[in-house]
Amino acid sequence: MDEPEIDLLTMVGLVKTVIGLGAVALAASLAGEASADGRLSFDLGGPDTLVRRVSVSVPDGPPPAQGYPVVYLIDGNTTFDLARQVLAGEPDMQAVLVGIGYPSDSREEIVRLRFFDLTPPTPAELIPPGMNAPRTGGADAFLEFLQATVKPEVERRVAVDPTRQTLFGHSLGGLFALHVLFSRPDAFQTYIAADPSIWWNGRSILEELERFLRDPSSGEGRRLLIETSGKRAQRPGADAKTLERIGQFRSGPNGHDVHKALKASRLALGYRQFTDESHGSMIPFAIADALRFSLLGISPAPAVDGSTTPDGK
């Protein structure tokens, strides 16, 4: 979602036409109060002083004895409602959904905040042109916020199964999901990295991957689904020179290459490439796959080999 190719209103159209489960409720509910569609939203501050909007959806009826499985969705301003629509059409999938987003309707503000939350410290020379050198480096603080603030608050409100926790992220969120897996694998049991931005920060995530694989038991008892897009989305208004520079930043290894490398670990792996989808248009499909992978144990069939591409997805 670091590419400005798709906004929330466009995503709503995708939900209606692609998933076919009706309109998404987009009106923000009051913090700490349940909305008419059954969603509970509240704002939480973290030790880094930033405030995030947390949205929670709970299945109807009493929870199982061990509690519900729980899926934590990065970029909750977009992903939470999409995930709710998927579950609405899949009665066999019962889970608590937790979207972590921001108390803002401004795309610019959301983009600014997520750049900080989802990235390692990144020097300006490693940031592609057109991004206005956003503030970066908050990934570890954001992970601590999830672990020390969000999870306890969710568990206080809802009966969840601590042995069935999933983390979903797309783009920079996918990069963040890989960072959590490589640095604190016990934080979640299942990880979903949708079109992860492997190229970010000079591909520093590959150094984390290398360290992760040094342990022969790395990934034991954990599951990972990586999905990639197949089409390149052009940045509107960018000239040929800028597009060339962006392409240089984003070329090289992608999510498929990370998936292949992780076969040396003990992770239970899944992979899929959406050949006919772009970085943005794949989001609702990836969320549907993520929920089936985490809740039903269904791995999507890979479409084609998606190894190193000039698109650098």
Side-chain angles (χ1 to χ4, degrees):
M1 287 169 49
D2 47 288
E3 299 181 34
E5 60 163 284
I6 191 162
D7 58 23
L8 190 57
L9 294 179
T10 304
M11 191 57 60
V12 173
L14 285 170
V15 174
K16 291 180 180 179
T17 58
V18 176
I19 301 179
L21 294 174
V24 176
L26 291 177
S29 52
L30 295 174
E33 296 184 6
S35 64
D37 61 359
R39 168 176 58 181
L40 179 69
S41 294
F42 49 90
D43 293 346
L44 286 178
D48 55 8
T49 73
L50 291 179
V51 175
R52 286 89 170 183
R53 173 68 47 83
V54 178
S55 299
V56 181
S57 178
V58 182
D60 293 331
Q66 68 275 22
Y68 285 113
V70 57
V71 180
Y72 291 88
L73 300 138
I74 305 303
D75 290 315
N77 296 70
T78 298
T79 57
F80 179 75
D81 284 310
L82 292 168
R84 291 192 72 208
Q85 289 298 307
V86 174
L87 290 191
E90 299 274 1
D92 291 339
M93 294 196 293
Q94 297 288 306
V96 171
L97 299 177
V98 181
I100 304 96
Y102 306 98
S104 175
D105 294 323
S106 165
R107 175 180 171 79
E108 291 74 17
E109 178 69 0
I110 291 170
V111 168
R112 182 185 70 81
L113 292 169
R114 74 184 295 273
F115 264 117
F116 179 69
D117 273 346
L118 303 179
T119 60
T122 307
E125 61 268 22
L126 293 181
I127 296 175
M131 289 188 173
N132 298 320
R135 183 186 179 209
T136 64
D140 287 332
F142 184 56
L143 173 56
E144 184 61 26
F145 170 71
L146 293 181
Q147 291 291 94
T149 304
V150 176
K151 284 187 178 183
E153 182 64 21
V154 170
E155 292 165 4
R156 184 181 72 82
R157 295 170 180 260
V158 186
V160 299
D161 184 349
T163 69
R164 297 188 66 191
Q165 300 183 92
T166 296
L167 178 65
F168 171 90
H170 166 262
S171 191
L172 287 177
L175 178 72
F176 176 78
L178 291 176
H179 169 65
V180 176
L181 171 62
F182 296 156
S183 61
R184 294 181 65 176
D186 292 341
F188 300 87
Q189 289 73 46
T190 301
Y191 294 82
I192 317 293
D195 233 5
S197 301
I198 304 301
W199 56 271
W200 185 264
N201 193 38
R203 305 173 190 85
S204 62
I205 192 67
L206 299 180
E207 299 174 8
E208 296 186 46
L209 167 64
E210 182 181 357
R211 291 193 294 270
F212 179 74
L213 290 175
R214 288 174 189 166
D215 181 355
S217 65
S218 61
E220 189 167 8
R222 297 295 177 263
R223 306 171 71 236
L224 169 66
L225 172 63
I226 296 178
E227 299 196 325
T228 59
S229 60
K231 287 187 175 180
R232 180 177 183 175
Q234 296 293 336
R235 176 167 292 183
D239 57 32
K241 184 177 181 180
T242 299
L243 290 174
E244 182 181 1
R245 291 182 62 199
I246 292 173
Q248 291 171 352
F249 272 98
R250 299 185 176 187
S251 62
N254 66 1
H256 185 267
D257 299 292
V258 171
H259 168 259
K260 289 195 297 184
L262 285 169
K263 290 181 179 180
S265 73
R266 295 192 178 181
L267 285 165
L269 293 168
Y271 173 76
R272 183 179 187 180
Q273 183 187 46
F274 293 102
T275 309
D276 296 325
E277 302 299 332
S278 70
H279 184 66
S281 69
M282 70 174 283
I283 296 174
F285 299 103
I287 289 175
D289 281 351
L291 293 173
R292 295 181 187 117
F293 182 80
S294 61
L295 302 177
L296 302 179
I298 298 175
S299 294
V304 296
D305 186 287
S307 188
T308 307
T309 69
D311 296 346
K313 290 290 192 291

